Amino acid sequence: MTTLLGPIAPRPGVPLRVEVYDRIASAIRAGALPPASLLPSESEIGEAMEVSRTVVREALLLLEEDGLLRSRRGIGRVVSPTLPAAGFERLRAVEQVLADRFQDLSVHRTEVTLQRESATFIAEGIGIATTSPSLFVESVLSSNGEPVALVQEHLPAGDHLHSFGAHVEQLVENIDPTRTCLGALTAELGPAFGIGRSELTAGTPGVVRAKLLQVRPTSPVLIVTQTVHLGTRPFYLSKVILRPEAGPLEISHAAGRGHAIA
C-alpha cells in the first residue's frame, strides 16, 4: 500500500483516472505490487491518493481491460498472475516492443523538421488540412552500434497542436531526444491516448531509408504504420521500418470481447 500513498498531482489535460491508472500500473510493472497480490479496496486507494472512489473505479476498470488486474468474486481485485506481453497490438512505442530482445537499445534522433504543408497521407492520419503545418521527427534505433529500426513520426503543429492544450503542446515541443515521440508521450500521458491502429506489411526500404538502416535498398523489411488518437481526435502517425534482425514479433488476441492482449 505504501507504493500507492500520496496525493495525485493533476496535470493539465490529463484526467485523474489516467493519473491513478499510471501510478498503479507503474507499481505493478516495477514489482511493488507482485503478481496475484490483492489490491487494496477502492476506498483505501481513494483515501491514499486523495481522489474520489469513482475516479479509482474508472482507473481499475481500465487496468482490468488492459490485463493488469483481475476481479475475483468474494475476494476483490488482484494483480494478474501473468502480465501482458508488449506488442504492436497495444499502444506501445517501438523501443518498448524491442526492449526485451535488445537490452542495450538506444534511440538516435536524425531529423526534426517543421513541415509548412502536409502530404495528404499525413494530413488524413493526424486530422489536419493539407495546408496545415506538421512536425516530422525521425529516429534510428540501434543495438551494439547496428541499426535495427527506423522510426518516422508525424504530429500536428501550430494552431492544431495548440488545440490539444498547453501541456500536450509543451510535451511535443520538448520531446526527449533519447526516446521516440510515441515513447515520450505515452510515458507522460499514458492511457489518455485513445484508439490506435497498426498495419504490418512486408516491403523494401528504398534508397534514403536503406542508408539509415545500413541495408540494401531492395532488402526485405517489415513496415508498421501506426495511427493514434489523443482522446477522440487523430493525433499521431508513424512509419516504423524494421530490419529482419528485429523480429520475430508476436501478436496475440484475447477471446470473448475481442480485446487484444499485449
Side-chain angles (χ1 to χ4, degrees), residues 9-127:
R11 290 176 289 173
V14 182
L16 283 177
R17 66 180 182 277
V18 173
E19 300 283 9
V20 174
Y21 176 109
D22 281 348
R23 183 176 294 185
I24 297 174
S26 296
I28 292 172
R29 294 285 187 190
L33 293 173
S37 63
L38 181 64
L39 207 68
S41 69
E42 293 176 0
S43 297
E44 290 172 327
I45 294 173
E47 290 176 5
M49 298 186 187
E50 299 183 13
V51 295
S52 72
R53 185 174 176 179
T54 299
V55 168
V56 173
R57 185 179 297 116
E58 291 178 351
L60 296 180
L61 288 173
L62 289 172
L63 288 160
E64 284 188 58
E65 289 179 5
D66 289 349
L68 294 171
L69 296 179
R70 292 184 181 178
S71 289
R72 290 187 176 176
R73 187 181 298 276
I75 297 176
R77 290 183 176 88
V78 298
V79 178
S80 296
T82 303
L83 295 184
F88 282 113
E89 70 277 17
R90 306 299 288 179
L91 181 55
R92 307 280 291 181
V94 64
E95 63 263 40
Q96 296 170 312
V97 174
L98 300 178
D100 290 340
R101 184 171 295 119
F102 302 100
Q103 300 296 327
D104 61 340
L105 197 69
S106 62
V107 177
H108 172 65
R109 190 81 76 236
T110 53
E111 183 179 346
V112 178
T113 301
L114 178 63
Q115 299 175 324
R116 298 297 177 183
E117 296 189 354
S118 305
T120 301
F121 171 70
I122 296 168
E124 290 177 349
I126 60 177

Side-chain angles (χ1 to χ4, degrees), residues 16 34 59 66 90-91 154 183 191 193 208 224 226:
L16 283 177
D66 289 349
R90 306 299 288 179
L91 181 55
H154 304 270
F193 279 103
V208 176
V224 183
Q226 289 188 302

